Amino acid sequence: MQYALITDLHSSLSDTRAVLTAIQRTAPQAIVFSLGDVHECHIGKKRAKRYTFEEIEQVVTLDPDFLKLLFFETLLGNQEERLFSLIPTGVSHYLDQLRSSDRTKQTDSALFIHGDQLKWSYDLTPDTSSYPDRLLFFGHSHVRGLFKEGKRLTVHHDIPISIKRGRYAINVGPVLVEREWLLYDTTTETITFYRAK
């Protein structure tokens, strides 16, 4: 089975369209799966503490053209969590459906999370010690990365990397601006980082 993993779209129509087109071209049989932060919340964390809801457009832009691209399953990221805390139930049918999405997904071989659950160092190295899973996939930091047994490895685009032995933490990289995505092949036990044009 192949997964085309994406994360941190932040409502970017052009970047999301470019990545989904690249996935269709490169791995049309892959299951597209998002690790969260599909949407951008217009209200920052500090302002959210004192924000009183008035209208949805102040909080999020639900562009119909962008929404048409969202055919895939997604986890909830911190952006979605903030949206749900600010927008009452019943305001948006789409958001109400999204509320039922999970924060994590577990398969036989891997755990998928958004990444805001991790503790991050100043150089954006994640502390994954509280996650014993052999394969941990995440996003959130907007910096792609591969860590084996806690040590950062150098990665290049378009080159399959074997993940058969050892414990790996894999930061997929953001769709927003960088247009990155990752192909995870459970049969060959490889990952390949990609960047759409």
Side-chain angles (χ1 to χ4, degrees):
M1 179 179 289
Q2 291 185 327
Y3 290 95
L5 300 178
I6 58 176
T7 189
D8 300 293
L9 289 64
H10 291 274
S11 301
S12 175
L13 174 62
S14 59
D15 293 330
T16 302
R17 184 180 283 145
V19 166
L20 292 176
T21 299
I23 291 170
Q24 185 59 38
R25 215 179 286 127
T26 306
Q29 71 289 349
I31 296 168
V32 179
F33 184 72
S34 164
L35 304 180
D37 278 8
V38 170
H39 300 284
E40 176 69 22
C41 181
H42 302 321
I43 309 296
K45 279 190 280 190
K46 288 183 181 176
R47 191 171 154 221
K49 293 175 184 175
R50 60 184 189 281
Y51 178 79
T52 302
F53 181 78
E54 293 177 10
E55 55 185 33
I56 194 168
E57 291 77 15
Q58 292 179 350
V59 184
V60 65
T61 301
L62 297 177
D63 177 358
D65 290 333
F66 180 70
L67 294 180
K68 286 177 191 172
L69 299 177
L70 308 183
F71 65 88
F72 44 81
E73 182 184 352
T74 186
L75 297 178
L76 298 178
N78 54 292
Q79 293 289 314
E80 285 80 24
E81 292 288 348
R82 195 176 320 140
L83 290 176
F84 300 154
S85 73
L86 299 172
I87 301 171
T89 304
V91 172
S92 164
H93 177 67
Y94 167 75
L95 289 179
D96 288 347
Q97 287 184 313
L98 187 62
R99 287 175 200 267
S100 63
S101 297
D102 295 319
R103 282 289 269 155
T104 64
K105 178 183 175 89
Q106 181 83 58
T107 67
D108 291 341
S109 57
L111 177 66
F112 302 91
I113 64 174
H114 176 62
D116 60 312
Q117 304 96 315
L118 301 171
K119 292 179 183 172
W120 295 84
S121 69
Y122 181 74
D123 68 347
L124 295 179
T125 299
D127 176 0
T128 61
S129 59
S130 60
Y131 292 87
D133 305 84
R134 193 179 80 76
L135 300 177
L136 178 66
F137 292 89
F138 54 92
H140 182 63
S141 72
H142 292 224
V143 179
R144 80 173 182 279
L146 176 62
F147 304 85
K148 182 177 183 182
E149 313 297 345
K151 294 182 181 178
R152 186 186 296 268
L153 304 178
T154 301
V155 296
H156 302 282
H157 290 107
D158 308 319
I159 300 172
I161 301 165
S162 174
I163 51 172
K164 287 182 180 176
R165 293 182 180 84
R167 184 171 170 266
Y168 291 88
I170 302 128
N171 191 336
V172 171
V175 167
L176 179 69
V177 179
E178 301 299 332
R179 297 187 172 185
E180 295 190 311
W181 63 282
L182 182 130
L183 184 65
Y184 167 40
D185 192 315
T186 63
T187 304
T188 62
E189 293 186 80
T190 60
I191 57 170
T192 309
F193 290 88
Y194 287 99
R195 177 177 279 158
K197 294 180 181 176

